[in-house]
Amino acid sequence: MSNPQNEKTSQMNESFQPGQQPDPMKSAMNPPPPMYGTSPSMQYQYQPYAGPPGAVPMQPQQTIFVTNVQSVNEPDYLGYSIFTLLCCFLPLGIAALIFSIKTQGANQQGDIVSARRYSRLALTLDHVALGLGIAWIVLAIILVIVFSTVAVTTVQQGNFGNFGNINP
């Protein structure tokens, strides 16, 4: 066996006559270029088929399946959901809005069962949010009336206790 290191040094240390150039193809720094005319590196099964000479290449027809999706007209209560989101009870309004949007998507896909379920859930959340919003407003009105009545009676009686200037 020959040592590749010895071959490289012998090629680099070759003696040559003055005026004669060393062959750059034999040096270890410049390996020979790949040979042309050899078989391509692609396997045969992946090479394109050009067909007979003069033939026009054509692509095969693609099969397209068109399905008619029947749209569903389940109500989505989007306006009601936006109203409860902005004016009544924010957390349930957000949930109702999400289910309203899901109802629209299920309507477009033709999924009757999901559209009906999301629509019912959005309506239920909207009703609960509206009820909580009305209850909150009524409670706030009652509290304002009670506190204002207590404040007026306190001022009319002049009973400020230790916090005012007037003592009974």
Side-chain angles (χ1 to χ4, degrees):
M1 284 187 133
S2 64
N3 188 356
Q5 185 66 24
N6 289 341
E7 287 179 9
K8 286 181 184 177
T9 30
S10 67
Q11 288 176 354
M12 292 181 81
N13 294 333
E14 286 180 4
S15 63
F16 58 93
Q17 303 295 333
Q20 179 186 9
Q21 295 290 329
D23 188 9
M25 300 308 284
K26 289 185 178 180
S27 71
M29 300 293 222
N30 295 325
M35 299 301 293
Y36 297 106
T38 60
S39 63
S41 60
M42 278 198 317
Q43 295 178 0
Y44 177 72
Q45 63 184 355
Y46 297 116
Q47 291 179 353
Y49 175 67
V56 177
M58 295 180 60
Q59 291 195 357
Q61 292 288 332
Q62 293 181 354
T63 306
I64 300 173
F65 294 105
V66 178
T67 58
N68 188 9
V69 177
Q70 185 178 8
S71 64
V72 181
N73 291 326
E74 201 64 38
D76 58 4
Y77 305 109
L78 185 64
Y80 190 19
S81 298
I82 292 172
F83 172 75
T84 58
L85 171 77
L86 296 176
C87 299
C88 295
F89 191 67
L90 182 72
L92 288 180
I94 291 172
L97 181 67
I98 290 171
F99 284 109
S100 294
I101 293 170
K102 283 186 175 187
T103 302
Q104 284 181 344
N107 279 338
Q108 290 174 355
Q109 292 177 355
D111 189 1
I112 298 169
V113 175
S114 294
R116 191 168 292 144
R117 183 178 65 227
Y118 293 146
S119 177
R120 239 183 295 128
L121 190 54
L123 183 63
T124 303
L125 289 172
D126 283 331
H127 286 333
V128 171
L130 181 66
L132 287 173
I134 290 172
W136 179 257
I137 290 170
V138 169
L139 181 66
I141 290 171
I142 291 172
L143 288 175
V144 167
I145 291 172
V146 167
F147 284 135
S148 64
T149 306
V150 168
V152 167
T153 56
T154 305
V155 169
Q156 286 177 351
Q157 291 175 358
N159 186 7
F160 291 109
N162 294 332
F163 299 109
N165 296 332
I166 302 173
N167 289 325

